[in-house]
Amino acid sequence: MATQGQVITCKAAVAWEANKPLVIEDVQVAPPQAGEVRVKILFTALCHTDAYTWSGKDPEGLFPCILGHEAAGVVESVGEGVTEVQPGDHVIPCYQAECRECKFCKSGKTNLCGKVRAATGVGVMMNDRKSRFSVNGKPIYHFMGTSTFSQYTVVHDVSVAKINPQAPLEKVCLLGCGVPTGLGAVWNTAKVEEGSIVAVFGLGTVGLAVAEGAKTAGASRIIGIDIDSKKYDVAKNFGVTEFINPKDHDKPIQQVIVDQTDGGVDYSFECIGNVSVMRAALECCHKGWGTSVIVGVAASGQEISTRPFQLVTGRVWKGTAFGGFKSRSQVPWLVEKYMNKEIKVDEYITHSLTLPEINKAFDLMHEGGCLRCVLSVHE
Ligand SMILES: NC(=O)c1ccc[n+]([C@@H]2O[C@H](COP(=O)([O-])OP(=O)(O)OC[C@H]3O[C@@H](n4cnc5c(N)ncnc54)[C@H](O)[C@@H]3O)[C@@H](O)[C@H]2O)c1
Ligand SMILES: N[C@@H](CCC(=O)N[C@@H](CSCO)C(=O)NCC(=O)O)C(=O)O
Ligand SMILES: [Zn+2]
Ligand SMILES: [Zn+2]
């Protein structure tokens, strides 16, 4: 192919500074080095975590950078030593890598991978600790090892999942983050059993995917909690059986839930990123066994607290990254589940725009009616 080994100049949305509108720039994307893959991104969605880093509250946020981590595309070229993907393969970039060789990958205890995390946390590629993106010679940082708000990106080979080429990329891009995170929080991290009572705090994409996961796990009650009462109508389609708006109650929300569930829920999930709600989510769990899973990402400087007695009396506090899924192994499996109509994806897509409309897409994200907005990157 003509572009292999060449610098590609393409359009990308650059975050020059925290909180300043993204700017569509002509970006130079260097060829992939050893162990790297250059991907033509066709569709990318926006996740709340992109907005979080853009806000300047992420301690790992570096500017200028190219954000984006929920996407799908086609391999354009590969660097030396890359064997598992080749040009033309349909792929989903994975911010949570899976090398299958490191201490984490071999532990059998976690989906976290240590191979490239130190580089991706500081916005560079592992090989030479440099960025593959530049604008007129000025380096632009990578983000989460994915940087999908660009027509072309470079990722580590351990951070890309090859998927069924029949899968519609404008839909399965969502399997790069929010939907697997919610499903996996239930299936892998909490391991919710049939008959359980579940509470989901925050009914955005991640919370709705938690509800969907809990429904398929056979939960008997799925209580959705959100400060926006309009969320309940949509949430019913994802399995939420009851709804509570904390604003409708004088008592603390954990007390309201304990009163309505004969002592508390079996499992709760915080899908907002609010440390006060994380506390409420733990404290609404049943004494002796209730487990609360933190999914939401809280800003730099925020800390969680509770009385240790809550844990002494048997409640368990956990967290999850990418729902505990091993990315390269399990994203292709999730794509197959979608193709077999076993999991929802289309239902989370409320808006479709193009890359140049990305600032509008971020505005939409903060409106109650938006779950996921998918951007067509080459239109
Ligand atoms: N751990 C992971 O791997 C992972 C992956 C994806 C997203 N996340 C995080 O999960 C969180 C949710 O992501 P999302 O894309 O679904 O976000 P979202 O903004 O679409 O949804 C958040 C929901 O919470 C509700 N909410 C806000 N404040 C509330 C409060 N005090 N009480 C009750 N409800 C409240 C909002 O009305 C909204 O419906 C974010 O923090 C995101 O960064 C984590
Ligand atoms: N940089 C942030 C941490 C952000 C964070 O926790 N990210 C999640 C994924 S959010 C996807 O929308 C994650 O996977 N964390 C594990 C990891 O980053 O290795 C901060 O420092 O606050
Ligand atoms: Zn995300
Ligand atoms: Zn690894």
Side-chain angles (χ1 to χ4, degrees), residues 352-374:
S352 301
L353 294 173
T354 62
L355 183 65
E357 297 174 297
I358 191 163
N359 288 302
K360 187 174 159 194
F362 271 106
D363 289 344
L364 281 170
M365 201 187 213
H366 301 295
E367 290 175 14
C370 180
L371 290 175
R372 280 302 193 252
C373 177
V374 173

Side-chain angles (χ1 to χ4, degrees), residues 95 111 172 174-193 198 200 204-218 222 237-239 267 269 271 293 295 320-326 330-331 333-339 341-348 372:
Y95 62 84
N111 66 327
V172 295
L174 265 61
L175 296 177
C177 184
V179 173
T181 297
L183 295 175
V186 176
W187 296 343
N188 305 321
T189 309
K191 299 189 170 69
V192 168
E193 312 94 354
V198 171
V200 190
T205 294
V206 175
L208 293 177
V210 163
E212 187 190 356
K215 185 181 177 181
T216 61
I222 304 172
N237 302 328
F238 292 84
Y267 296 97
F269 299 84
C271 308
V293 180
V295 191
T320 192
F322 197 51
F325 281 117
K326 294 246 183 198
Q330 291 187 286
V331 166
W333 173 78
L334 285 164
V335 168
E336 293 312 312
K337 279 183 93 63
Y338 164 70
M339 298 293 276
K341 302 193 184 336
E342 292 168 42
I343 58 169
K344 295 187 200 304
V345 172
D346 303 15
E347 291 80 352
Y348 296 92
R372 280 302 193 252

Side-chain angles (χ1 to χ4, degrees), residues 47-50 52-53 57-61 69-70 95-96 112-113 117 143-144 177-178 181 206 295-300 320-322 372:
C47 168
H48 202 92
T49 306
D50 297 308
Y52 159 68
T53 301
K57 292 178 187 157
D58 178 355
E60 290 187 305
H69 64 282
E70 196 174 285
Y95 62 84
Q96 195 52 251
L112 301 179
C113 168
R117 185 63 182 81
F143 169 66
M144 288 176 81
C177 184
T181 297
V206 175
V295 191
V297 173
S300 174
T320 192
F322 197 51
R372 280 302 193 252

